[in-house]
Amino acid sequence: MATRLGLGLPQMKQYDIGRDIPDVARAAEATGYESLWVFERILFPEPARQGLYGIPGLPWPERYRSVADPLVSLTLAAAATSRARLGTSVLVAPLHVPFQLARTLATLDAASGGRVVAGLGTGWSHDEYAAASVAPFERRGQVLDELIDVCRAVWGPDPVAYEGELTRIAPSAVGPKPARPVPILLPANSAKAARRLVDRADGWMPAAMGAGPLKKQWDELRALAQERGRTAPLQSVLRANALYTPEAYTADDRRPFQGSTDQIVEDLVAHDEVGLEEILIELQGGLRDAQELKDVATEVYEKARAAGI
């Protein structure tokens, strides 16, 4: 079976979100993309306490100065489409009140006919935590655990009841319910995170790291699942952050998923051989407008399918 391909929606400052998100969503679904994805950045600190991704000295990109809310963006896409799955890659769990997020995801899934995929993570920005988190940065793992618990409870049968550190739900009817169990996908960037994924989530959502390292981590994760007695298959969606340029790069100058559409597809082919179920192609950052995003996304899709993906 062919690998599913997904596309990141236009949330950044160069786009007209009310017009461009539905437009790109419709075009992507018509092209053949099977899923549409959003990410979360809530602010652009000046100056930042830390570098991008927590790496000292790495500047935040200018395109992060304005990023549309992920769930509003997915709602716009849901109203404009009928088939494509609607995913988050990722929501930063501790920036959300667990009960409210669980209800929002359930409502979106019910409204879209069962198309939501909940990619969740713990984030890295101390500035975002200072502005919006429900608990300190040091407790981010516990918040993610509670959020997963609350989602499972709220999405399950009534009466819903739960008591945790952040959330207390007296026995209650809570609706609407999702149209089907919403898949929860997690990264696995540490041994503890890998155990959480295997024990509590539906699947894995890594970022592209090169085909070799990706295969090694996938093999290790499946071995851990077997070791811990998991019987349900691990779903998988790879996030490929691509930087399109019309000019081709030489082998010495190029990083993975950087360059022409031919070079991006070459990297897609290499990563596809690892055997993950789906690849999310994130193109929006380096493009000028929605028309260019649609054109490049169509070209990448057609070349990827022609290459056997």
Side-chain angles (χ1 to χ4, degrees), residues 66-150:
S66 177
V67 177
D69 179 88
L71 296 176
V72 172
S73 299
L74 274 192
T75 302
L76 290 168
T81 58
S82 60
R83 300 183 308 278
R85 299 199 307 164
L86 306 163
T88 61
S89 176
V90 296
L91 294 178
V92 182
L95 304 185
H96 298 268
V97 175
F99 179 75
Q100 292 177 348
L101 180 59
R103 286 203 68 241
T104 299
L105 290 169
T107 300
L108 182 58
D109 193 73
S112 65
R115 293 191 281 148
V116 171
V117 180
L120 306 175
T122 55
W124 50 267
S125 170
H126 291 279
D127 292 290
E128 290 185 335
Y129 269 74
S133 69
V134 297
F137 185 80
E138 294 73 24
R139 291 179 54 208
R140 60 195 182 279
Q142 295 97 308
V143 176
L144 177 56
D145 284 334
E146 181 159 323
L147 175 58
I148 293 171
D149 287 341
V150 171

Side-chain angles (χ1 to χ4, degrees), residues 177-207:
K177 300 297 183 184
R180 92 296 190 222
V182 175
I184 293 177
L185 307 184
L186 302 176
N189 298 322
S190 68
K192 185 174 182 179
R195 291 191 297 272
R196 175 187 290 118
L197 190 161
V198 164
D199 293 345
R200 315 204 57 221
D202 297 289
W204 185 37
M205 179 166 277

Side-chain angles (χ1 to χ4, degrees), residues 192-232:
K192 185 174 182 179
R195 291 191 297 272
R196 175 187 290 118
L197 190 161
V198 164
D199 293 345
R200 315 204 57 221
D202 297 289
W204 185 37
M205 179 166 277
M209 59 189 78
L214 179 69
K215 184 180 186 308
K216 180 176 183 293
Q217 195 169 354
W218 183 225
D219 290 345
E220 290 172 350
L221 198 59
R222 287 184 294 177
L224 179 65
Q226 185 173 13
E227 175 188 317
R228 296 179 75 83
R230 180 184 175 116
T231 56

Side-chain angles (χ1 to χ4, degrees), residues 271-292:
H271 284 73
D272 184 56
E273 292 176 358
V274 174
L276 302 189
E277 295 175 312
E278 185 164 356
I279 302 176
L280 150 62
I281 305 168
E282 178 61 88
L283 289 162
Q284 65 170 308
L287 302 180
R288 294 169 296 182
D289 54 31
Q291 187 58 55
E292 187 174 36

